[in-house]
Amino acid sequence: MSNLVEDNPAKHRFEILVDDALAGFTAYLARGEVLVFTHTEVDPAFQNMGVGGALIRGTLDEVRARGGRVVPQCPFVAAYIDKHPEYADLVAVYP
């Protein structure tokens, strides 16, 4: 199973493709260099396979590579960052 995480700016979300099928996405609102993550969804056919974690890891790696920051309003993104403190430095304080 090969995973690919890519930004889809037209839909304001990062998507994860598993074997060329859309397996999930995490939606965001762009506020300059800060992305406010609002919702994450994984297709039921791909749940409990680590797809959600791979999606968030790939998303956060991409944000870091761009020099951006995140606001994890989505509980799934927030929980992932709590469990993986190596990404805590990406969290922006945003009113």
Side-chain angles (χ1 to χ4, degrees):
M1 182 168 69
S2 67
N3 295 342
L4 173 67
V5 175
E6 55 188 20
D7 191 5
N8 183 338
K11 292 188 175 180
H12 306 286
R13 66 190 195 180
F14 281 83
E15 300 172 341
I16 187 164
L17 304 177
V18 176
D19 298 331
D20 297 324
L22 178 63
F25 65 87
T26 185
Y28 62 81
L29 301 170
R31 299 286 181 259
E33 294 300 310
V34 176
L35 298 182
V36 180
F37 286 92
T38 58
H39 179 71
T40 301
E41 242 178 72
V42 174
D43 185 292
F46 294 97
Q47 288 179 357
N48 301 313
M49 297 170 58
V51 170
L55 167 62
I56 303 307
R57 182 175 56 251
T59 297
L60 295 174
D61 288 344
E62 178 64 26
V63 171
R64 184 186 304 282
R66 295 179 187 178
R69 307 289 295 279
V70 303
V71 175
Q73 284 185 354
C74 168
F76 190 83
V77 176
Y80 186 90
I81 292 171
D82 284 346
K83 290 178 191 161
H84 299 88
E86 64 271 23
Y87 292 109
D89 63 308
L90 292 177
V91 176
V93 176
Y94 192 76

